[in-house]
Amino acid sequence: MTTPHVTLVLGAGGPVGRAFHAGVLRALADGCGWDARRADAIVGTSAGAQVGALLRAGWDAHRLLQRSRDAAPPATPSRAHRRWPSSPAYLRAVAARPWQARLGPLVAALLPERASPAQPTAGGAHLGDALHRVFAGRWPHRPLWIPAVHADSGARVVFGRRDAPSIDVATAVRCSSAVPGLRPPVQVGDERYVDGGIRSPTHADLALDTAPSARRRTIVVLSPLSRFAPLRWLLRWELLPALRSGLDVIVFEPDRAVAGAMGWNPMDARRASAVAEAAYRGTRRRLERSDAAAAVRLLVGA
């Protein structure tokens, strides 16, 4: 069997989501020998953008898992001035054309631009510095698509794709990770961008556009926020075109044990180590079942 073109879709989910990604990817490496760095294309949103960028920077699943185990508690932000609402421009556009409003961008526009002192944020300065050093302003040779949302229009922007503004990887990751209410929008020239997860936790529909249709294709989706039923249904809807096109789709979502380790707050970095371990164990169990054997063969081309 020939090796398929693999698109890896890494969903949003804060520090808890990053830990989920690390556990699943390490289990895939140990359980079936698939190295996520070999993915032909990566679509990463918010936390998934951070993990996707690290994979393209050469981090393997073992290093990602160790990072999750060593995750430090988040720092409390300073009492910075807050602007409210964060995007009057989007609210004016919605008032003029309410039928074009989308829930995620609307909520983001209504939230304050900076966090309150009671809301911790996950640190990203060290990651940004590392990505700046590794990529030095260049984009990875193999596709890395990072969805974000334009703060003042609500439009999706996919950094790394030809139709998107040209920015460096570290800035694209910051844009996709700018959680409304916790972090301010990221200014790029005259434009402002916020977390891609407010429009879709995975942007799994983009996977259809990442490879030539002539080659056999497999889509691997890691969706930490699928522990919430509405977001699980949204993912199913986004994947319908791929399934109807006959693409092979493998989805990894939190099982009961992982969901219990996650809790209800995706930004709670204190849970990262437990989530990573639960995701690893749950994925290894899944890979050992006979009903997962065919999916594994599709992934590794065996």
Side-chain angles (χ1 to χ4, degrees), residues 21-34:
H21 293 323
V24 173
L25 294 178
R26 173 67 184 269
L28 288 172
D30 291 350
C32 65
W34 185 68

Side-chain angles (χ1 to χ4, degrees), residues 185-270:
V186 176
Q187 189 86 28
V188 180
D190 295 331
E191 312 301 332
R192 302 188 309 149
Y193 300 96
V194 294
D195 196 320
I198 67 170
R199 188 178 177 99
S200 166
T202 61
H203 295 270
D205 59 299
L206 292 173
L208 271 175
D209 304 324
T210 57
S213 57
R215 185 175 171 187
R216 188 169 66 87
R217 300 163 65 184
T218 298
I219 299 173
V220 181
V221 182
L222 277 62
S223 180
L225 291 179
S226 282
R227 69 151 306 183
F228 302 111
L231 301 182
R232 186 164 61 248
W233 299 334
L234 176 60
L235 175 60
R236 300 296 185 274
W237 180 80
E238 289 183 342
L239 287 173
L240 273 178
L243 294 169
R244 289 170 176 168
S245 298
L247 275 64
D248 302 314
V249 178
I250 309 170
V251 179
F252 293 92
E253 299 169 301
D255 60 18
R256 183 173 299 178
V258 176
M262 285 179 163
W264 293 99
N265 179 11
M267 303 304 293
D268 188 354
R270 295 169 298 180

